[in-house]
Amino acid sequence: MMTEKHEEVRMTGDSPMLRVKNLKKYYPIKAGLMQRVVGYVKAVDDVSFTIQRGRTMGLVGESGCGKTTVGKTLLRLHEKTAGEVLFMGSDIHQLPHKELRRVRPKYQMIFQDPFASLSPRLPVAEIIGEAVREHQIVPNDEYNDYLDSTMKACGLEPYHKDRYPHEFSGGQRQRICIARALALKPSFIVCDEPVSALDVSIQAQIINLLKDLQEEFGLTYLFISHDLSVVEHISDDVGVMYLGSLVETGTKKNIFQNPLHPYTKALLSAAPVPDPTAKRNRIILEGSIPSPANPPSGCKFHTRCSECMDICKVEIPQTREVEPGHMVACHLYNDQGTVVEDA
């Protein structure tokens, strides 16, 4: 039975929390009177990565590159087109409805807009506790105390329970969203740009809160963001996305101290630094991002890459391990992970 397998995998400490294999999510393009499918928007195109339990993977890239779609497809908020999403050893896209409902509390999501993701008609106690009762996370006689302890862990007070979302600040609303996710005792949380709508000072508070909760409850995060400074602060590993595909993955040290892909180098060169006297070699990307409905042949980045070679225009680059744990999909590197001579 799946239940026995699920528990067995969860008990093995060194097994990955999440393993994604060749994940694809395509949206059909329909046209004409009969609304026939004439093409596909390749929002997520053959993405693979692994997240070890207790670690945070940051997912970065320009707007529209497919970061949020990856997060929602992982949690089966969107159905996949192809590939596997193995959560603690089981493919959640293959689970029947009854089994899916049973494991749903184990993976949660914190959305980007804390106001839009909260019902304006429900008080905080109902927002946080609705799913707790539905999934019977705690016995009924422990419900109120559990709600209070969850809110306190997220920086909220018990007297906030009767208030509505519009009575809170942006940072407090995001704390409510975090408490709603935490209340279900999850193992894995997708954080979809959880601080992008907040002031800088509040961002630091929420990031520190997420780190404290991770340490206290042993959580695993996929942290989606376009802010590289935030990703550097919270992440253990980093994946860089471009036009639906991962172009580079590695540890935080790998990505920020030794970027390999031209796109990663361009992103890092554009990140602001706190020293006003520091000079950086800014890499300007020319042109705009191609349409995911009609991506370029070969390497998707070749139309904007200053190091483009002839092979980049016709052949899709294979993902290579340049150094232990540091993967890159670029023709600048050969199978041994060294720079090709004519690059």
Side-chain angles (χ1 to χ4, degrees), residues 138-332:
V138 294
N140 290 335
D141 59 344
E142 299 177 12
Y143 173 78
N144 287 324
D145 291 339
Y146 179 72
L147 219 59
D148 291 346
S149 64
T150 301
M151 293 178 65
K152 286 182 178 179
C154 297
L156 299 167
E157 296 298 331
Y159 62 79
H160 288 146
K161 288 194 291 188
D162 296 328
R163 297 184 181 180
Y164 290 81
H166 71 271
E167 300 179 72
F168 295 90
S169 67
Q172 288 175 315
R173 285 196 289 263
Q174 196 60 286
R175 290 176 185 271
I176 296 171
C177 295
I178 295 172
R180 178 177 59 184
L182 185 67
L184 294 175
K185 298 183 179 180
S187 302
F188 175 67
I189 299 179
V190 173
C191 306
D192 183 16
E193 302 199 38
V195 298
S196 63
L198 306 177
D199 295 336
V200 175
S201 59
I202 307 301
Q203 286 184 9
Q205 295 178 20
I206 298 299
I207 291 298
N208 290 332
L209 172 62
L210 290 172
K211 294 187 72 173
D212 291 342
L213 293 175
Q214 182 177 41
E215 183 176 350
E216 182 177 355
F217 297 101
L219 301 173
T220 304
Y221 293 145
L222 174 66
F223 192 91
I224 298 169
S225 180
H226 61 268
D227 190 331
L228 290 172
S229 61
V230 171
V231 170
E232 185 177 15
H233 181 68
I234 194 173
S235 299
D236 301 300
D237 307 288
V238 179
V240 182
M241 282 194 72
Y242 182 79
L243 207 64
S245 300
L246 276 175
V247 297
E248 187 170 357
T249 57
T251 64
K252 176 173 63 177
K253 182 178 180 180
N254 289 151
I255 300 299
F256 284 91
Q257 295 186 12
N258 184 31
L260 300 176
H261 199 280
Y263 179 62
T264 307
K265 295 177 182 178
L267 287 182
L268 292 175
S269 75
V273 293
D275 185 1
T277 62
K279 294 183 178 180
R280 307 189 68 172
N281 183 21
R282 178 69 188 276
I283 301 174
I284 305 297
L285 295 179
E286 298 181 357
S288 58
I289 303 177
S291 169
N294 186 27
S297 59
C299 176
K300 296 179 181 179
F301 187 61
H302 85 261
T303 58
R304 306 174 71 193
C305 182
S306 60
E307 303 182 59
C308 176
M309 302 177 291
D310 290 339
I311 190 176
C312 302
K313 301 176 182 179
V314 294
E315 186 176 325
I316 299 175
Q318 300 298 313
T319 300
R320 296 177 171 89
E321 187 173 26
V322 176
E323 55 184 328
H326 194 175
M327 315 293 289
V328 63
C330 182
H331 288 299
L332 290 173

